[in-house]
Amino acid sequence: MSIQRRTRDQIAARVARDIPEGAYVNLGIGLPTLVANHLPRDREIFLHSENGILGMGPAPAKGEEDWDLINAGKQPVTLLPGGAFFHHADSFAMMRGGHLDICVLGAFQVAVNGDLANWHTGAPDAIPAVGGAMDLAVGAKRTFVMMEHLTKSGESKLVERCTYPLTGVGCVKMVYTDLATIEVTPQGLVALDWADGLDFDELVRLSGVPLRRA
Amino acid sequence: MSIQRRTRDQIAARVARDIPEGAYVNLGIGLPTLVANHLPRDREIFLHSENGILGMGPAPAKGEEDWDLINAGKQPVTLLPGGAFFHHADSFAMMRGGHLDICVLGAFQVAVNGDLANWHTGAPDAIPAVGGAMDLAVGAKRTFVMMEHLTKSGESKLVERCTYPLTGVGCVKMVYTDLATIEVTPQGLVALDWADGLDFDELVRLSGVPLRRA
Amino acid sequence: MINKIAASAAAALAGVRDGATVLLGGFGGAGMPDELIDALIEHGARDLVIVSNNAGNGETGIAALLKAGRVRKIVCSFPRQADSHHFDSLYRAGKLELELVPQGNLAERVRAAGAGVGAFYTPTGYGTDLAKGKEVREIGGRMYVLEYPIHGDLALVKAERGDRWGNLTYRKAARNFGPIMASAARCTVAQVYETVELGGLDPEIIVTPGIFVTHVVPVPRSGAREAA
Amino acid sequence: MINKIAASAAAALAGVRDGATVLLGGFGGAGMPDELIDALIEHGARDLVIVSNNAGNGETGIAALLKAGRVRKIVCSFPRQADSHHFDSLYRAGKLELELVPQGNLAERVRAAGAGVGAFYTPTGYGTDLAKGKEVREIGGRMYVLEYPIHGDLALVKAERGDRWGNLTYRKAARNFGPIMASAARCTVAQVYETVELGGLDPEIIVTPGIFVTHVVPVPRSGAREAA
């Protein structure tokens, strides 16, 4: 059987499974925003947006957009009944103060010790932009990463040591990819589950770093 | 002519003369609260209370007291139209951040360099209580002191060096007493005006510290 | 469904342990969570560290907690009041430790705990006995004292209205320390006079978002104390 | 009588000097004081240091200020956007200095300026290139970076309603950086869609009290830009 790589929606659904009712969660821009579509409707989860929103709801219907009500990616959103607005210092106090249970971020690389690189390729001509990534990475109680397992050229994004500039030191707790779900533990990386048709040894080979079974 | 000591109300009125329209002002507990009664009605002045009020109005009519609306001395007050409530961190940010133009405090002693002692006699059996005095003393743009010139035993409260524990270092700009109005300058104390019937040389003698005429 | 509205104050405080650091909202009587303090006395926890602006007066609230002998230490700015006799006598007898903190440093230290700030430089208190032994630094020609956050195990606050997600509004100057105390504890319990449906609080006027609140305890608006 | 409502944006900005540090509210387009930025361009001040979350996109707001060649340096967290071509080309040509700051450190540094905090220890950025050369310290087993306040000569913010004392309310997530920027500058100018009589804003819902505001500039709600 060939490897059944998980689609972006399947990865998002896998992340959603690990978000319990009542959790305060920040979904980073890009891939992580997909997770919102997979949170079960019967589970109350509080979505935080760095620009001063708690209780963020889904995108508005076409024609109903309010440009004073946007998310971190500057896309229109809605507010659930029970939601609240606050200013930026208060919003980042929620992160830095450890009040968010989970944040989900994209990544270029995750190291075996939980180091995260997701903001800058380090290329000399790249225009750097960090936004709230560094605050989220170290502020949330648990930082989840959602990413493709391999780069376009086939290299593993799980690394011994990040070669891209760091976003945070030792901050990643879980990694969700198209190939596997991996927990970062003090004893190293532990694979919890992996794609259908993928052999564990093959996962280790593709990952290029030590990996244990749960 | 004998010395016409200024009454508490006369001192308060003298302080009020130096508070311009539009000033943001905190009146400390005790003697300084009298100043509010002497602010001209045609002058808009913003009174701040440390417990989260800006735009504080006069005491309510008897029977109209609202115990959720009290001043720093825990006495019932009112709120003017245009007033606002905020929490304690924001309230002290207004002080510490230099947003108050003037605060008026009582004092045990003021030193020639502007050091202030007003929170503790240092007596071994005294129960210390500092409240917001230290924050106000160093936070306001200009700190005014309102006090009796002499202690009950006739010693000057203007001193070369405070013997009571300090509230703030070099923070006092003006001193208003029953005998005189004195400015604290980098070149020393300067008497701006003094009580009727009081000779300047007598004021210097009573003060016990170097004093210049304006 | 998330419902933070507790069955009772006792239920909300069931997990409190001996030795806990308890942050209390309130300035004088305004915003003082009297009913929650009564429940804390009922609960029986001992060796508490109390962080609040005042040290109680009369016979209720913090004074009652002191009288019951439950407090090991109090961190506050203004313990001395007209009728703070329970504090006064325990303090004079050496039975109560006091950490006196300038009010703005108290507020900022609590805010720092809630905001994840490791420490901060404040101009308040520099050169005074209350900064003795503390690290100082000159920044931009001005002298500052290094102060550290005050974290709570428990915060008790009095709000006006709340909903099942824990969102709170306050009333007038009873707001005072409530919002920052609520942000700085592992468990925050708020007493409210009114609970409303989700969406019943305008999202523009929520002062404490529910993320800072663990339990909401409704109390009657006109208790015996109010009538007294 | 105190009346902070200005005759025009131009009048409110008359005192701006070359080289000023200008704090701008807004996150993307929400809360961006476009009309005040237009007036700042009209005013002609040069060599400005701009502090804002983004570095402008399209042809309006900060992008227009950049295009007009008035900015020497920009302090922000997220300059790169889909159509941030004016920033991109100036930056690549070495004509614009960039200080990149993690968004939460940016917010906290501005808040510290408004609150009179001399410096603070933040966990954000520790061990990264953005903390290179900065002082670090271990506090309670965690590593922190020392960050300093960002003071402004001028702050421009977009609010929703204001009164003649300068009290402000905001609308939804357009609040973002507005309140902290307003608190951190020597002169703060707020554009509002509506001015109300004193007392027309509920004292419980005023987000920026007038103490932080120098001038209030009414602007029409449905300008050409909104309709575009």
Side-chain angles (χ1 to χ4, degrees):
Chain A
M1 186 169 111
S2 66
I3 301 173
Q4 307 292 305
R5 282 176 193 277
R6 293 168 183 174
T7 64
R8 295 171 145 225
D9 274 308
Q10 285 171 328
I11 307 172
R14 180 64 189 81
V15 173
R17 263 177 53 196
D18 287 352
I19 300 180
E21 177 151 79
Y24 290 89
V25 179
N26 185 298
L27 301 175
I29 58 179
L31 207 50
T33 55
L34 281 183
V35 173
N37 302 336
H38 296 275
L39 298 172
R41 301 222 169 253
D42 62 349
R43 212 185 281 171
E44 284 193 333
I45 287 161
F46 306 105
L47 295 185
H48 172 267
S49 188
E50 64 188 17
N51 52 320
I53 311 174
L54 198 62
M56 191 166 53
K62 210 163 167 83
E64 302 282 307
E65 297 88 353
D66 181 338
W67 294 96
D68 282 344
L69 183 46
I70 58 175
N71 63 14
K74 280 115 186 172
Q75 295 307 305
V77 293
T78 52
L79 189 77
L80 300 178
F85 300 114
F86 33 84
H87 65 55
H88 244 86
D90 283 350
S91 183
F92 280 78
M94 289 181 193
M95 295 183 193
R96 200 189 307 106
H99 305 284
L100 292 179
D101 296 296
I102 294 166
C103 76
V104 186
L105 297 172
F108 297 146
Q109 292 177 324
V110 175
V112 292
N113 69 344
D115 284 359
L116 169 67
N118 83 342
W119 72 282
H120 195 15
T121 61
D125 67 330
I127 291 179
V130 65
M134 289 185 180
D135 305 276
L136 279 167
V138 305
K141 289 198 190 93
R142 305 180 72 208
T143 294
F144 291 0
V145 158
M146 189 175 161
M147 65 179 188
E148 305 287 321
H149 206 96
L150 307 175
T151 65
K152 276 167 193 163
S153 55
E155 289 164 274
S156 176
K157 293 185 177 179
L158 293 170
V159 294
E160 271 300 332
R161 213 187 147 89
C162 292
T163 53
Y164 288 143
L166 289 189
T167 304
V169 174
C171 56
V172 178
K173 295 286 175 286
M174 295 286 294
V175 182
Y176 303 82
T177 78
D178 51 333
L179 295 184
T181 305
I182 291 162
E183 187 175 357
V184 182
T185 78
Q187 292 75 42
L189 302 181
V190 177
L192 303 184
D193 52 60
W194 44 91
D196 291 341
L198 174 63
D199 183 75
F200 178 74
D201 294 336
E202 176 68 359
L203 174 64
V204 174
R205 196 189 62 75
L206 287 169
S207 299
V209 291
L211 212 57
R212 291 186 296 116
R213 290 171 199 254
Chain B
M1 187 169 113
S2 68
I3 300 174
Q4 307 293 304
R5 282 176 194 277
R6 293 169 183 174
T7 64
R8 294 172 148 226
D9 273 308
Q10 285 170 328
I11 307 172
R14 180 64 190 81
V15 173
R17 263 177 53 195
D18 287 351
I19 300 180
E21 177 152 81
Y24 291 90
V25 179
N26 185 297
L27 302 175
I29 57 179
L31 207 48
T33 55
L34 281 184
V35 173
N37 301 337
H38 296 275
L39 297 173
R41 300 220 170 255
D42 63 347
R43 211 184 283 169
E44 282 193 335
I45 287 161
F46 306 105
L47 295 184
H48 172 268
S49 187
E50 65 188 17
N51 52 320
I53 310 174
L54 197 63
M56 191 165 56
K62 211 162 167 85
E64 301 283 306
E65 297 88 353
D66 181 339
W67 294 96
D68 282 346
L69 183 46
I70 58 176
N71 64 15
K74 280 114 186 173
Q75 295 308 306
V77 292
T78 52
L79 189 77
L80 300 178
F85 300 115
F86 32 86
H87 64 55
H88 244 85
D90 283 349
S91 183
F92 280 77
M94 288 180 194
M95 295 184 195
R96 201 189 305 107
H99 305 284
L100 292 179
D101 296 295
I102 293 165
C103 76
V104 186
L105 297 172
F108 297 145
Q109 293 176 324
V110 175
V112 292
N113 69 344
D115 283 1
L116 170 67
N118 83 343
W119 72 282
H120 195 16
T121 61
D125 66 330
I127 290 178
V130 66
M134 289 186 180
D135 305 277
L136 279 167
V138 305
K141 288 196 190 95
R142 306 180 73 207
T143 295
F144 291 1
V145 158
M146 189 175 161
M147 65 180 190
E148 305 287 322
H149 207 97
L150 307 174
T151 65
K152 278 168 191 161
S153 54
E155 287 164 275
S156 176
K157 293 184 176 179
L158 293 170
V159 294
E160 270 300 332
R161 214 188 144 89
C162 293
T163 53
Y164 288 142
L166 289 190
T167 304
V169 175
C171 56
V172 178
K173 295 286 175 287
M174 294 288 293
V175 182
Y176 302 83
T177 78
D178 50 335
L179 295 185
T181 305
I182 290 160
E183 186 174 0
V184 182
T185 78
Q187 291 75 39
L189 302 182
V190 178
L192 303 184
D193 52 60
W194 44 91
D196 290 340
L198 175 62
D199 181 76
F200 178 74
D201 292 337
E202 176 70 357
L203 174 65
V204 174
R205 195 190 63 76
L206 288 169
S207 299
V209 291
L211 211 56
R212 291 188 295 118
R213 291 171 198 253
Chain C
M1 195 183 94
I2 296 301
N3 186 6
K4 297 186 178 181
I5 298 172
S8 66
L13 298 183
V16 181
R17 305 217 181 149
D18 288 355
T21 294
V22 183
L23 315 182
L24 296 177
F27 179 91
M32 189 56 64
D34 281 323
E35 285 80 355
L36 294 178
I37 296 174
D38 287 347
L40 183 61
I41 294 171
E42 195 67 30
H43 171 284
R46 318 194 139 265
D47 292 321
L48 300 174
V49 176
I50 296 294
V51 181
S52 193
N53 188 61
N54 303 105
N57 60 328
E59 299 297 327
T60 60
I62 300 178
L65 197 61
L66 292 175
K67 184 182 179 185
R70 305 295 170 69
V71 182
R72 176 175 71 72
K73 177 180 175 181
I74 190 154
V75 181
C76 72
S77 89
F78 209 83
R80 190 185 61 220
Q81 288 189 268
D83 51 350
S84 55
H85 52 273
H86 287 303
F87 170 83
D88 297 2
S89 57
L90 285 166
Y91 177 72
R92 290 213 160 98
K95 290 180 176 165
L96 187 60
E97 193 182 336
L98 171 67
E99 181 182 344
L100 193 71
V101 182
Q103 195 171 160
N105 285 355
L106 182 66
E108 192 68 11
R109 289 175 65 188
V110 170
R111 190 260 172 195
V117 168
F120 61 92
Y121 288 97
T122 174
T124 301
Y126 172 75
T128 75
D129 289 354
L130 297 188
K132 259 190 191 148
K134 298 193 174 188
E135 203 174 320
V136 300
R137 180 185 295 231
E138 185 177 337
I139 301 170
R142 195 170 188 195
M143 296 305 297
Y144 292 84
V145 181
L146 186 63
E147 292 282 357
Y148 291 87
I150 300 176
H151 292 271
D153 297 302
L154 174 70
L156 304 181
V157 304
K158 172 181 165 173
E160 189 66 16
R161 304 168 84 202
D163 65 25
R164 67 177 176 85
W165 280 4
N167 294 304
L168 304 176
T169 61
Y170 299 83
R171 185 170 176 275
K172 301 189 178 180
R175 185 185 303 193
N176 59 65
F177 278 93
I180 51 174
M181 295 304 193
S183 77
R186 285 193 293 109
C187 173
T188 290
V189 182
Q191 63 172 67
V192 299
Y193 287 127
E194 200 184 328
T195 58
V196 300
E197 290 300 304
L198 272 196
L201 301 175
D202 180 346
E204 303 281 3
I205 73 162
I206 290 169
V207 174
T208 294
I211 191 170
F212 297 123
V213 178
T214 319
H215 302 293
V216 174
V217 178
V219 301
R221 192 183 293 273
S222 45
R225 187 165 300 164
E226 239 88 352
Chain D
M1 194 183 94
I2 296 300
N3 186 6
K4 298 187 179 181
I5 297 172
S8 65
L13 297 183
V16 181
R17 305 217 181 147
D18 288 354
T21 294
V22 183
L23 316 181
L24 296 176
F27 180 90
M32 189 56 64
D34 281 322
E35 284 80 354
L36 294 178
I37 296 174
D38 286 348
L40 184 60
I41 295 171
E42 194 67 29
H43 171 285
R46 317 196 140 264
D47 292 321
L48 300 174
V49 176
I50 296 295
V51 180
S52 193
N53 189 61
N54 302 107
N57 60 328
E59 299 297 327
T60 60
I62 300 178
L65 197 62
L66 292 175
K67 184 183 178 185
R70 305 294 170 70
V71 183
R72 176 175 72 74
K73 177 181 175 180
I74 191 155
V75 181
C76 73
S77 90
F78 210 83
R80 190 185 62 221
Q81 289 190 267
D83 50 352
S84 55
H85 52 274
H86 287 302
F87 170 82
D88 297 4
S89 55
L90 286 166
Y91 177 72
R92 289 213 160 98
K95 291 179 175 164
L96 188 60
E97 194 182 334
L98 171 67
E99 181 182 345
L100 193 72
V101 182
Q103 194 171 162
N105 286 355
L106 182 66
E108 192 68 11
R109 289 175 65 189
V110 170
R111 190 259 171 198
V117 168
F120 62 92
Y121 288 96
T122 173
T124 301
Y126 173 74
T128 76
D129 289 354
L130 297 188
K132 257 189 193 151
K134 298 192 174 189
E135 203 175 319
V136 300
R137 181 186 293 231
E138 185 176 336
I139 301 169
R142 195 170 188 197
M143 297 305 297
Y144 292 85
V145 182
L146 185 63
E147 292 282 358
Y148 290 87
I150 299 176
H151 292 271
D153 297 301
L154 175 70
L156 304 180
V157 305
K158 173 181 163 173
E160 189 66 16
R161 304 168 84 203
D163 64 25
R164 67 177 175 86
W165 281 4
N167 294 304
L168 303 176
T169 62
Y170 299 82
R171 184 170 178 273
K172 302 190 178 181
R175 184 183 306 193
N176 59 66
F177 277 93
I180 50 174
M181 295 304 192
S183 77
R186 285 193 292 111
C187 173
T188 289
V189 182
Q191 64 172 69
V192 300
Y193 286 127
E194 200 183 329
T195 57
V196 301
E197 290 300 304
L198 274 196
L201 301 175
D202 180 346
E204 303 281 3
I205 74 161
I206 289 170
V207 173
T208 294
I211 193 171
F212 298 123
V213 178
T214 319
H215 302 294
V216 174
V217 177
V219 301
R221 193 183 294 273
S222 45
R225 189 167 297 163
E226 238 89 350

